[in-house]
Every structure is written in C-alpha cells, then in structure tokens.
Amino acid sequence: MNLHLPSAPHTHAPDSVPRIMGLVLLAVAPTALYGLILFGWPALNLLLVTVLACLICEAACLSIAGRPVKPSLWDGSALLTGVLLAVSLPPWAPWWIGVLGGFFAIVISKQVFGGIGQNLFNPAMLARVALLVSFPVEMTTWIHPHPLFSSAAPGLLDSLAITFSGISDVDGVSGATILGHVRTQLGMNQTLGQILPEHYQSGIAALGWTGGSIGETAEWLALGGGVWLLWRRVITWQIPVAMIATVAVLAGGFHLLNPDRFADPGLHLLSGGLMLGAFFFATDPVTSPTTPIGQLVFGAGCGALVYIIRTWGGYPEGVAFAIVLMNAATPLIDHYIRPRIYGRTWGGQSRPVKRPPAGSGEAP
Amino acid sequence: MKLFDFWGGVHPAGHKHLSADQPIRIMPPPARLQIPLQQHTGLPALPVVKVGESVCKGQLLARGQGAVSASVHAPTSGTISAIGDFTAPHVSGLPLPTITLDSDGEDRWLDREPLPDPFALVPEQIAVHIAEAGIVGMGGANFPAALKLNKARQAKVHTLAVNGAECEPYMTCDDRLMRERAAGIVDGVRLMLYALQAPQAVIAIEDNKPDAIISMTAACHGDPQIRVVVVPSRYPAGSAKQLIQLLTGLETPAGGRGTDTGVLVHNVGTAYAVHRALRQAHPLISRIVTISGGAVAEPQNLEAPIGALVEDLLGFCGGVNGEIAKLLMGGPMMGQPLPSRQTPMVKGTNGVLALTAAEAQLTTPSPCIRCGRCVDACPMGLMPLEMSKRARHDDLDGALAFGLIDCISCGSCAYACPSHIPLVQYFEYARGALEAQERAEQKSKETRRLLEQRQARLARAEQAKVEAAAKRLAEKQRAKAAKAGVGVAA
Ligand code: SF4
Ligand code: SF4
C-alpha cells in the first residue's frame, strides 16, 4: 500500500488510546484516593508496589518480544492495570501480593495472549481471582478503616513494616466485610434481621466507612467516576446499566420473596465493589463485546453471575469471578450477536421496503 | 415534517468558516484546460473534435456513448491542442483520455437558443436536454443525471430529496450556492419535479447553515410542492442512503436502489445545473468548488471552468502558505489524495483542500483495543474492526461475510478509531483484491469457454471425418454387394 497517499478519512477524532487510559485513570482517582486516606500509608505502599510491578513486567515482556517499549509503555494501559489491580486488593496486603498480582496481570493475562488488545480476560480481574484462589488468607484480611492522620493510623515506619513484613496483630485490626459477615452468619442459621443491625449501619457503610479492598468501600465515588466516564463518552452505558440493573432486579425479587434470607438491593449495590466492577472492570473494551446489544447481554450476564455467586456460590463476593467468566463468553457473544446491517434483515437478506402506495402524496 | 434518524455517524470539526463567508468568485479560464473524457460513471465520452480545431464556449467536445455516459463541452473558446492521456483526479494517478484546450482568451459563446418554456415540453424531453448538457450528479456520485431521473420516473418516486446537507468538513460550495443562487436552485428543482412527474420535493439542509436555510426558504416560499427541511449536523447525513433514512425512516434494500424507497436524491448543485441547462442553454462547463485548508492563502469558493488544474485553482486563491502535508480533491472524510497539482478538476469536484501537517493529523496506528467505537460510528450497522481484521489477513470471504459490500466508505469508523487504524484503507484493499479475483475468474472462464469451443469444433470435425469414412465404407460395401449381386445373378 502507498503510505504517502493513504486513503480517506484525512481527519481524525481527538481521541487516542493514551487519552482513554488517562481519562479512566482520572475517573478512578477519587476512589483510589479515598481508599488511601481511609486505610493509610500501607495502602499507598501496596499501590506503588503493584503499579511498579506492572510497569516493569510490561517493559520486560515488550523488550523480550522485541517490540518497541516506549510507545506501548506510554499508552498508559499497564499503569491503569496496576492502579485498577491495586484498588481491588486488601489495603494492608503484603508487598509480594502486589508483585505477584502485577505479574499475573501483565505477563500471564495480557502479554502471553499477544499484548494489548489480544487478551481474553481483564488483566486486573484475572490477577485478583488468581490471587484469591492461591492466597485466601492474605486476600481476605479486611482492615477496619484506619484513616490517615487519625490516632489509629500507623505511622510511616509501621506502614513499611506492615507492607514488607506483615501485620503483627491481624485480629485486632481486621474483620469481615459486610457481605462476608452476612454469609457467615446466614450459615449459622441467623436471619438477616438479626445479622444486619449490629454490623451494617447503612448510612455510614454507604458513605464508604467500612472494611474492604482499597477501592471497594466508596461505591458513591466509583459511581461518580463512572458517570463522568459516560459523560466524556469514554465508556458506553450498556454494560454498567445492564449489570447494575440485573443485580438490583434479582436482589429485589428475592428479597421480596424472603427478606430474612436474601439481602436487600441496597446492600448489594453498595457493597462488594459492584460499582467499581460495573464501571471500571466490566467496561474494559478489550475483554467485553463490541456491539451495543452484545454489551447489554454481557452486562446482564455479569450482574446475574454476581448475584448468583454472592448468594449461592463459594465466595461472599462475586464481582471478579463474574467478570472473568463473562470475559470468557465475549468471543461467543461477539460471534453470535452482530448489528443488523442497513438494508438487510437480521438474517442478512436484502430487506424489502414497506413503501406507502405511490401517489399518496404525503409520503414522508 | 417528521424527521427520523440514521444510525451511527460522527461529528468531525467543521472548519467551514475558512471559506463560508466569502462570496463565490468567478475564475476566468486559465490558458490551458485539461478536460477528461470520463468524468462520470460509465463509458468515456467519444471525442467529436480534432486536434487543431477551434471551438466555442459550450460547444460539444465529446459525446456520451452507450447507455451510461455523459457528454463533455468546451468550458471556454480556443483551440484543441491535444487529445491524449493526462493525469486523472484519482488516487492511482493513472492517466485518462483527455482533451487539451488552449484558451483564446475571448471566452466566446456558441450561439445559444434558450428554450422559450421548458414546461411546455413532455417530461421525457426535459431529461433529453439534461443529458445533452452533460449533467452528472454534482455531489460526487458522478452518475449521469438524466438517466437517474428517467429511472426514478419509471419507478414512480413520490419525493425528490434535494441534498443540501453538505456534511463534509471544509466544504462550503453548496452552502454558498444556496445563499447566492437560491432562485436558480429552486427553479431547477421544479424542472426536475416536472421531469420526474413527482408530487413533492424536500430540500435538506444541515442546521449549521442558517443563512442557506433562510435564503432557500425564501426562494421556495409559496410553492406547495417544495419545502426546506432542516436536518441535524452529523456526518454522513448527506450520504444518499442516510438522507433517505433521515427523511423517511426507510432503508434502501441491500442490492437495491434508493428509488425503491420512493425517494430520489439529487444534489443542490445538480438542480442548479439543470436550471442553467434548460433556461440558459448553458451546458455543464463550470461548477462551484471550495478551495480551502490551512495551506491556502485565501480560502474561498470559486466558480471555475471544468478542466482547470489544481495548480491554477490554488494560484487564483493567492497561492499556498507554507508546506502542504496533504492535497485532497473533496473533503477530508471521503476525498481523494492527489498525486500532483497538475490534476484537473472535473464535474464532480466539490473542493480542493491543501492541508497543513497540523490539520492532516498524520498518526501512526496502534493495535485495536476492541473499543467498539467504530461499530458505534458506522451508519451501515457494520463491525469495521472484524472486517478490517479479515481484510488484513486476506480473508476476503470473511470480510464479505461481515458486510464488505454494504460499506459505503464513509470513513466514520476510521475517524472514530482511537488506535488510528486506517480501516477504510483495508476495505479498499480488500475490494481491489476482490475485483482482481473476479477479473481473473472471468478470464479463466473465458479461456475455458474458448478451449471448450475449440474442443467442440475439433470433436465436430472428428465426428464429421468418422461419419464421412463410415459413409464411404458403406458406399463401398454397397457397391461391392451390388457387384457381387450382379455376379450372382449372372
Ligand atoms: S475503533 Fe479502532 S480500536 Fe476501537 S474497536 Fe474499532 S478498530 Fe478497534
Ligand atoms: S467506512 Fe464502511 S465500515 Fe466504516 S463507518 Fe463507513 S460504512 Fe461503516
């Protein structure tokens, strides 16, 4: 092809991959910042370690594969993966969790598949799932809020010790997340009416004052960031709306059937990182369908799986598993769900015009 | 009037202010014009003049041949200095048969006799006059206008959609024409309605052209058959399929014609050319063309003679400022890059753009991130990412299965792609490969046919030989038998 005379178009939308990655980073920044403030310096240490691991892995893979390192490293995708992975980790997790996570995310789930655009699974989500399965203890140590500069917060040195040699008094600083607590107590044949009042002060929890991963607790901030991404047209509405609506409808329906057994939709929507998952992980372009209808199916599938896993599955939280499972279904969705072509039926045949009788005058 | 919506589309920056506010300037014919014989879909026109012959302005130079073709006339008076091949306004830069006309500077018209009253003619006759004037679709489709009108009359269309959307960035030639010569356009619309025998016309104008909307509305005021419809500015609203969808909610069937929906789309420039042809016996020898882009000293619209070189057009607009990163014929969304400034403008040329490096946005493609922006942008409901993936791997059947033949090359997908993948380029490549394949198939079919013919001929000859031998043998035997019989009898 003649590179000097490329074919049309000769103009371009002011959009690029680095810009998209940058906007997503900006959108997740408030959630991450809130998490850092809520859980203090150890969370920051973990974030830095994770991001650094991702960047180093990316650079190493690119140079081993003999591809140009700089443009790909600067497209921001590895940076974004690092940040998204970090906000889905328990805040005081040890440093090697971040390093292993970065390795899983970049090397195993992305570069092995052929690099950006080729991966089947969302790197951060797959890494989180792999970590959770391999290191269940470290990955479920949920710290109570220890806000920065409060008396409870560990100092700088203590923080380094927490990140690099472990938490000394785990039981004293941690507890279950709401969803985890509900599951354990339900297992002991308690009703939700007995469980929730003691643990779940909805007002405070909804504001994000509770245990969880770095970016999990401030659902409102994640929602805000997501809506901002929608407004900037970085993502489209289909996946997050379908996912959240499906969870809400399922939770609402079962809650009406048996309020003692099934938690209310509010609890489901505002815990377990649903907003973060719906707006930041499920919408990963590479691993979600490309057509609007496919995206609706994908979002609904994520939502249904989240509810099923949370309610009947082996883990109290289901967002990461649900997204990874639906990632696997994406090629299938994209194969079977295609848009209708202009002038053709869904089956691809020429579509006859239903034309008003000629001479009716006022046709259009 | 109720408007519908078309799918997809994009909002490229307009850049129309560069040339929108200067009045149309008439460019006198340059010393030499290069007039291609094929400025339209179909067969090239056949020259009716000889080298050395002097011609008047408006005189027939070459006559359309066959069912689909268009005649070509002299844009000015002068001498035919050559008939041969010359660079054509096409990306290949391959030469096309061209008549070279050296102007005598007098711009002397042929004796013209305008029709007293075109509406006294039968509708078919209007089409004949339109064909004689060499009018083709001026929005870039280049299809002979008379033929399109005749087919549409036979298909009994109920609406003539006059396309004044002008959705391409930078282009303002239709805008200026509508602002300055609205009455002529509306007269042309009436003539076309008459030729079509259709009850109504709608003139579609994008809402970013308020002055054109005002002047066109005023020009068709009081005419119950014609009205102006303001359509939202979104590319490609001016594409025929999308305009029909916008106006009627109907889709042109795949493989069918726009008129299957009862609507015929013609450009405002075509309407104006029809007006001139029938009222002033003025064949299509000039047109309004937008000369714009950051590298043009004085961007504006010219009424320029067909066959003027891009070099002359740029020169008449004050020349070039700085370096041209891209030289285009047409708008930035669908225009052709030009290999040289020594390329003539033709009947379908709506603009010439000289873009600076900053405007041309030369970028390097990066891998597809499957973001689906191309799918959202496609007005035809295609999946450009899948199509390009297959085209790139020479999987032509795969590209076809994803709708390659339905793609209108509008460029919306590539415009929207954040990875800057030249999607349309892959589609063009695949189409080229398909055509080559078809040609090769055609050729091998033809060879096979000839071979079979030859074999049949040989077989027939062989058969004849065998039959002749058998006949001879039989005759011999008969003769022998007769002889023997005679012998026995004796
Ligand atoms: S817009 Fe570009 S990057 Fe996005 S899916 Fe289409 S081809 Fe891929
Ligand atoms: S160029 Fe083809 S594939 Fe791309 S948007 Fe236009 S019609 Fe769709």
Side-chain angles (χ1 to χ4, degrees), chain B residues 358-380:
Chain B
E359 288 172 299
Q361 300 176 312
L362 305 165
T363 48
T364 11
S366 53
C368 169
I369 55 165
R370 294 181 27 87
C371 65
R373 281 169 172 59
C374 52
V375 180
D376 288 339
C378 180
M380 297 301 286

Side-chain angles (χ1 to χ4, degrees), chain B residues 153-164:
Chain B
R153 185 181 53 246
Q154 285 150 15
K156 295 203 166 42
V157 303
H158 52 65
T159 302
L160 170 65
V162 184
N163 190 350

Side-chain angles (χ1 to χ4, degrees), chain A residues 126-153:
Chain A
L126 189 65
R128 187 182 190 283
V129 166
L131 289 171
L132 181 58
V133 174
S134 321
F135 309 104
V137 177
E138 286 79 2
M139 287 299 289
T140 51
T141 303
W142 305 114
I143 300 302
H144 299 307
H146 285 68
L148 264 189
F149 312 118
S150 71
S151 54

Side-chain angles (χ1 to χ4, degrees), chain A residues 6-13 15-17 117 234 285-286 288 290 334 338 340 342-344 350-351 355 361 363-364, chain B residues 7 156 158 200 241 245 251-254 326 332-333 335 337 361 368-370 373 380 406 414-415 417-420 425:
Chain A
S7 70
H10 309 280
T11 179
H12 208 281
D15 202 2
S16 67
V17 176
V234 175
V286 177
S288 61
T290 53
D334 262 350
R338 298 183 192 170
R340 183 171 72 76
Y342 176 105
R344 290 186 188 273
S350 179
R351 190 167 178 260
R355 192 179 149 178
Chain B
W7 305 343
K156 295 203 166 42
H158 52 65
Q200 63 167 354
K241 287 187 164 132
Q245 199 175 22
E251 294 166 34
T252 307
K326 255 187 195 172
M333 293 300 288
Q361 300 176 312
C368 169
I369 55 165
R370 294 181 27 87
R373 281 169 172 59
M380 297 301 286
D406 295 295
Y415 173 85
C417 174
S419 291
H420 305 160
Q425 201 160 330

Side-chain angles (χ1 to χ4, degrees), chain B residues 6-45:
Chain B
F6 67 91
W7 305 343
V10 290
H11 293 99
H15 299 287
K16 297 201 186 241
H17 61 274
L18 284 174
S19 58
D21 294 324
Q22 279 73 261
I24 297 171
R25 231 170 110 205
I26 294 176
M27 174 176 162
R32 174 168 281 185
L33 294 170
Q34 302 285 3
I35 306 146
L37 295 178
Q38 175 149 31
Q39 308 182 27
H40 48 262
T41 318
L43 293 173

Side-chain angles (χ1 to χ4, degrees), chain B residues 56-407:
Chain B
C56 293
K57 181 175 183 174
Q59 187 177 332
L60 184 69
L61 294 181
R63 188 183 296 285
Q65 57 161 332
V68 185
S69 190
S71 296
V72 173
H73 302 78
T76 185
S77 58
T79 316
I80 307 296
S81 62
I83 301 178
D85 287 349
F86 194 78
T87 327
H90 182 259
V91 64
S92 68
L94 291 179
L96 277 185
T98 299
I99 290 182
T100 309
L101 172 61
D102 285 346
S103 162
D104 58 13
E106 289 175 25
D107 213 21
R108 185 167 30 84
W109 268 100
L110 196 71
D111 285 337
R112 288 182 288 170
E113 254 181 69
L115 296 162
D117 179 15
F119 289 103
L121 302 171
V122 290
E124 288 82 353
Q125 235 0 76
I126 303 257
V128 170
H129 282 280
I130 292 175
E132 273 174 6
I135 299 175
V136 302
M138 314 247 316
N142 301 330
F143 194 81
L147 202 57
K148 205 166 142 183
L149 283 174
N150 283 338
K151 287 199 169 154
R153 185 181 53 246
Q154 285 150 15
K156 295 203 166 42
V157 303
H158 52 65
T159 302
L160 170 65
V162 184
N163 190 350
E166 198 165 55
C167 54
E168 269 273 9
Y170 290 93
M171 294 297 121
T172 55
C173 56
D174 292 345
D175 184 14
R176 286 308 319 180
L177 189 70
M178 290 189 285
R179 288 202 223 176
E180 296 180 33
R181 304 181 189 178
I185 298 173
V186 171
D187 184 57
V189 172
R190 287 196 188 105
L191 288 163
M192 286 204 276
L193 272 183
Y194 179 64
L196 275 173
Q197 294 290 294
Q200 63 167 354
V202 289
I203 302 171
I205 308 175
E206 274 194 352
D207 59 14
N208 59 4
K209 292 181 257 300
D211 293 343
I213 293 167
I214 291 170
S215 68
M216 290 301 291
T217 310
C220 58
H221 181 74
D223 189 325
Q225 285 190 303
I226 308 176
R227 61 192 149 159
V228 170
V229 176
V230 179
V231 300
S233 306
R234 185 163 107 238
Y235 181 88
S239 153
K241 287 187 164 132
Q242 277 60 43
L243 190 62
I244 288 175
Q245 199 175 22
L246 197 55
L247 295 175
T248 66
L250 299 177
E251 294 166 34
T252 307
R257 288 176 203 289
T259 51
D260 292 347
T261 60
V263 181
L264 174 70
V265 181
H266 257 306
N267 180 265
V268 285
T270 317
Y272 184 69
V274 166
H275 154 77
R276 270 192 164 176
L278 280 122
R279 297 291 187 180
Q280 298 157 14
H282 187 302
L284 181 50
I285 53 174
S286 65
R287 68 157 295 150
I288 317 293
V289 48
T290 304
I291 313 297
S292 189
V296 176
E298 298 156 18
Q300 59 192 295
N301 283 283
L302 303 178
E303 178 170 357
I306 304 296
L309 298 184
V310 165
E311 174 85 40
D312 300 327
L313 296 171
L314 292 174
F316 193 68
C317 294
V320 170
N321 271 343
E323 195 160 345
I324 302 179
K326 255 187 195 172
L327 185 63
L328 303 178
M329 189 161 275
M333 293 300 288
M334 287 187 78
Q336 298 276 14
L338 288 178
S340 141
R341 292 191 212 179
Q342 306 297 320
T343 310
M345 64 170 273
V346 292
K347 293 173 184 174
T349 304
N350 52 355
V352 170
L353 294 185
L355 301 182
T356 60
E359 288 172 299
Q361 300 176 312
L362 305 165
T363 48
T364 11
S366 53
C368 169
I369 55 165
R370 294 181 27 87
C371 65
R373 281 169 172 59
C374 52
V375 180
D376 288 339
C378 180
M380 297 301 286
L382 305 175
M383 296 175 78
L385 78 158
E386 301 290 348
M387 245 158 55
S388 73
K389 203 155 64 188
R390 282 159 183 80
R392 190 161 44 186
H393 295 119
D394 277 307
D395 173 9
L396 298 181
D397 291 334
L400 280 175
F402 271 95
L404 184 64
I405 44 170
D406 295 295
C407 167

